[in-house]
């Protein structure tokens, strides 16, 4: 068996195992993600120039197959079987791979128009949804939807300044605009990007003479926790344990501050790191939900809760809440803090590395 035939067999086998259309896009991208990818792009561009407006038979077949899938004319299994045939019979498998990746660039920009994508991803009217990784097999690659216009795009300052978008033109990703495929780095947490589809944000930013008011809350000059220090040969550790005698006082202080911030018309409230007690998050969530339901003059849009140090779990987790008290993202601390006490250096006693990192994109 030739190397080309062996490679096609491998692609067909991976397509057979694919659980989603995004996994298939990853399979096709992997075929192109080599040191020769600039040559693949050039060959593809040259072939399209020669073909001019005339489409190849492979391109027509592929387009029709994808259209049938997206409009629920065929099942996903039938789609995979036919795609394997097209790739096996094509004289230029790499061009077919690029064709499909580019076709889906436009398709994913208009994904709400296609029954198959709506049925499988349930992105529709959900305020909070996953923008990536959308593929199921995520050992080496992740597929992410690219952000649409956000708050920064509405800013005159950004519009009046020339900001260059840096893209590695040697990769097939440089041909895409509406999604991207990222190779995972060994040992790094998996990155999840959530979309926050809230039309109120855009109306809020675009309102006449708008100004976003952000309040950053300082620490209270009193320890509400107990410190634990452990000394070992080679490295010393510190941990923080909640002093439950202060829990109710902390939670009341949070509510008092939020009430004051709302009265002052603050949009975004930022609390300091390590300011939360164990029950603070739920206390604030309940308060926010009640205010949004009962208070017609409620102003707060986002609450950065700072972080909570879990003594039993030896973890430090931060939370971002929406105006209704929904946790938009939560991240565990990756790089521990270190401090000096009586001339001795202590490291934050974090016991686990985070397996994921959550980011938020406002739609």
């Amino acid at each position: 068996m030739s190397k080309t035939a062996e490679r096609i067999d491998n692609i067909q086998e991976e397509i057979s195992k694919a659980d989603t259309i995004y996994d298939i896009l990853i399979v096709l991208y992997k075929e192109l993600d080599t040191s020769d990818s600039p040559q693949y792009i050039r060959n593809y561009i040259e072939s399209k120039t020669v073909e001019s407006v005339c489409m190849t038979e492979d391109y027509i077949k592929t387009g029709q197959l994808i259209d049938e899938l997206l409009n629920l004319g065929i099942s996903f299994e039938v789609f995979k079987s036919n795609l394997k045939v097209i790739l096996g019979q094509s004289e230029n498998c790499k061009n077919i791979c690029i064709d499909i990746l580019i076709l889906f660039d436009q398709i994913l920009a208009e994904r709400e128009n296609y029954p198959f994508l709506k049925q499988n991803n349930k992105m529709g009217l959900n305020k909070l949804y996953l923008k990536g990784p959308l593929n199921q097999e995520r050992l080496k690659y992740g597929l992410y939807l690219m952000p649409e216009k956000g708050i920064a795009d509405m800013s005159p300052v950004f519009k009046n300044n020339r900001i260059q978008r840096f893209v590695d033109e040697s990769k097939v990703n440089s041909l895409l605009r509406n999604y991207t495929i990222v190779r995972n780095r060994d040992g790094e947490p998996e990155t999840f990007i959530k979309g926050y589809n809230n039309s109120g944000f855009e109306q809020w930013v675009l309102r006449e003479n708008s100004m976003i008011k952000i309040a950053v809350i300082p620490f209270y000059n009193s320890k509400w926790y107990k410190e634990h220090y452990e000394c070992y040969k080679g490295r010393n550790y510190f941990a923080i344990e909640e002093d439950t005698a202060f829990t109710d006082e902390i939670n009341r202080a949070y509510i008092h501050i939020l009430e004051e911030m709302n009265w002052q018309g603050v949009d975004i409230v930022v609390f300091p790191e390590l300011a939360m007690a164990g029950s603070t998050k739920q206390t604030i969530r309940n308060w926010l939900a009640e205010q949004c339901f009962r208070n017609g003059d409620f102003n707060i849009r986002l609450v950065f809760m700072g972080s909570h140090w879990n003594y039993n779990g030896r973890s430090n987790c931060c939370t971002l809440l929406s105006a209704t008290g929904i946790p938009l993202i939560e991240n565990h601390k990756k790089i521990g803090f270190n401090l000096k006490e009586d001339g001795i250096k202590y490291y934050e006693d974090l016991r686990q590395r985070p397996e994921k990192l959550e980011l938020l994109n406002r739609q």
Side-chain angles (χ1 to χ4, degrees), residues 329-354:
I329 54 174
E330 291 191 308
N331 285 310
H332 285 267
K333 193 171 186 179
K334 178 183 178 183
I335 300 174
F337 177 72
N338 59 75
L339 56 81
K340 277 192 174 182
E341 186 74 18
D342 297 328
I344 300 174
K345 188 175 184 179
Y346 293 90
Y347 291 84
E348 190 173 358
D349 190 13
L350 300 176
R351 299 288 176 91
Q352 289 187 331
R353 297 174 65 185

Side-chain angles (χ1 to χ4, degrees), residues 21-22 24-25 28 62 65-67 69-70 76 79 83 97-111 114 116-117 143 145 176-179:
I21 190 65
Y22 305 110
I24 289 180
L25 295 178
L28 303 181
T62 304
L65 184 64
I66 291 172
D67 187 62
L69 174 71
L70 295 177
F76 187 52
F79 170 80
L83 179 59
C97 292
I98 296 177
D99 265 334
I100 295 174
L101 292 170
I102 291 176
L103 275 170
F104 268 92
D105 191 46
Q106 185 60 37
I107 288 166
L108 290 179
E110 303 168 349
R111 57 190 179 275
Y114 299 103
F116 176 79
L117 295 177
L143 186 150
L145 299 177
L176 310 175
R177 292 293 176 268
N178 297 299
Y179 74 97

Side-chain angles (χ1 to χ4, degrees), residues 58-120:
D58 286 339
Y59 183 88
I60 294 171
K61 285 182 181 178
T62 304
Q64 290 174 339
L65 184 64
I66 291 172
D67 187 62
E68 286 186 86
L69 174 71
L70 295 177
N71 289 290
L72 305 180
I74 57 174
S75 69
F76 187 52
E77 292 302 319
V78 171
F79 170 80
K80 292 195 295 183
S81 297
N82 281 274
L83 179 59
K84 288 190 294 182
V85 172
I86 293 174
L87 291 170
Q89 295 177 347
S90 174
E91 294 181 2
N92 194 326
C93 175
K94 287 183 169 55
N95 274 7
I96 292 295
C97 292
I98 296 177
D99 265 334
I100 295 174
L101 292 170
I102 291 176
L103 275 170
F104 268 92
D105 191 46
Q106 185 60 37
I107 288 166
L108 290 179
E110 303 168 349
R111 57 190 179 275
E112 288 304 319
N113 296 328
Y114 299 103
F116 176 79
L117 295 177
K118 290 170 66 175
Q119 182 186 58
N120 285 275

Side-chain angles (χ1 to χ4, degrees), residues 65-248:
L65 184 64
I66 291 172
D67 187 62
E68 286 186 86
L69 174 71
L70 295 177
N71 289 290
L72 305 180
I74 57 174
S75 69
F76 187 52
E77 292 302 319
V78 171
F79 170 80
K80 292 195 295 183
S81 297
N82 281 274
L83 179 59
K84 288 190 294 182
V85 172
I86 293 174
L87 291 170
Q89 295 177 347
S90 174
E91 294 181 2
N92 194 326
C93 175
K94 287 183 169 55
N95 274 7
I96 292 295
C97 292
I98 296 177
D99 265 334
I100 295 174
L101 292 170
I102 291 176
L103 275 170
F104 268 92
D105 191 46
Q106 185 60 37
I107 288 166
L108 290 179
E110 303 168 349
R111 57 190 179 275
E112 288 304 319
N113 296 328
Y114 299 103
F116 176 79
L117 295 177
K118 290 170 66 175
Q119 182 186 58
N120 285 275
N121 298 312
K122 299 178 182 177
M123 293 178 184
L125 300 176
N126 293 343
K127 283 192 173 182
L128 189 64
Y129 61 92
L130 187 65
K131 297 196 71 173
L134 298 180
N135 49 306
Q136 294 296 313
E137 174 50 59
R138 300 195 291 262
L139 187 61
K140 292 186 178 180
Y141 293 88
L143 186 150
Y144 298 84
L145 299 177
M146 293 296 284
E148 299 169 18
K149 287 187 177 182
I151 292 176
D153 298 282
M154 305 172 198
S155 166
V157 175
F158 278 88
K159 286 182 178 179
N160 294 333
N161 286 276
R162 297 179 64 184
I163 301 174
Q164 185 175 355
R165 181 186 179 207
F166 293 96
V167 177
D168 184 351
E169 302 292 348
S170 70
K171 295 186 176 183
V172 177
N173 268 333
S174 66
L175 301 173
L176 310 175
R177 292 293 176 268
N178 297 299
Y179 74 97
T180 188
I181 295 174
V182 179
R183 186 187 297 185
N184 299 329
R185 296 173 61 185
D186 291 341
E188 293 299 312
E190 189 173 4
T191 301
F192 289 81
I193 300 179
K194 296 179 179 180
Y196 187 39
N197 186 14
N198 192 335
S199 60
F201 266 73
E202 187 166 338
Q203 296 169 10
W204 160 43
V205 173
L206 291 178
R207 66 180 185 248
E208 188 176 355
N209 299 320
S210 64
M211 178 183 295
I212 300 174
K213 296 181 71 173
I214 302 175
V216 180
I217 312 303
F219 266 119
Y220 179 62
N221 190 24
S222 178
K223 289 183 179 179
W224 52 266
Y225 52 83
K226 304 170 187 176
E227 299 161 310
H228 296 273
Y229 297 95
E230 296 178 283
C231 296
Y232 298 95
K233 200 170 184 179
R235 179 170 285 198
N236 308 308
Y237 293 93
F238 77 91
I240 293 173
E241 182 180 12
E242 178 183 340
D243 188 338
T244 55
F246 291 95
T247 299
D248 290 341

